[in-house]
Amino acid sequence: MNFRRAACVLVALSSLAFARTARAQTADVIRGRVSNAADSAAIPNATVTVTTISGGVNRTAKTDRNGRYTITFPN
């Protein structure tokens, strides 16, 4: 379970690094995939939590059967 949690945190941090924002955008969207580092197998039903730097707002999502998730922060 510790590996799964560490993988989720790593993916969430990586997603934040690659998240792009546009001036005309009405919401910030973070998408990603959680997978096993050893064989790249998807990790379904993992919990991914993202926290904003300004304001400390948390958003959480569960991965689907393909290990994919989407988190939206409305502006």
Side-chain angles (χ1 to χ4, degrees):
M1 189 65 171
N2 289 334
F3 175 76
R4 182 179 237 176
R5 182 172 291 175
C8 290
V9 169
L10 179 62
V11 170
L13 291 176
S14 297
S15 296
L16 284 175
F18 294 106
R20 299 183 320 178
T21 58
R23 292 179 192 202
Q25 211 172 8
T26 59
D28 293 323
V29 179
I30 300 171
R31 293 183 179 99
R33 181 174 184 261
V34 179
S35 61
N36 186 332
D39 60 5
S40 296
I43 300 177
N45 205 33
T47 301
V48 179
T49 301
V50 179
T51 305
T52 61
I53 293 173
S54 61
V57 177
N58 292 325
R59 295 282 189 264
T60 303
K62 292 270 191 182
T63 58
D64 63 13
R65 63 186 177 106
N66 297 314
R68 299 200 180 278
Y69 67 91
T70 301
I71 297 176
T72 305
F73 285 91
N75 286 343

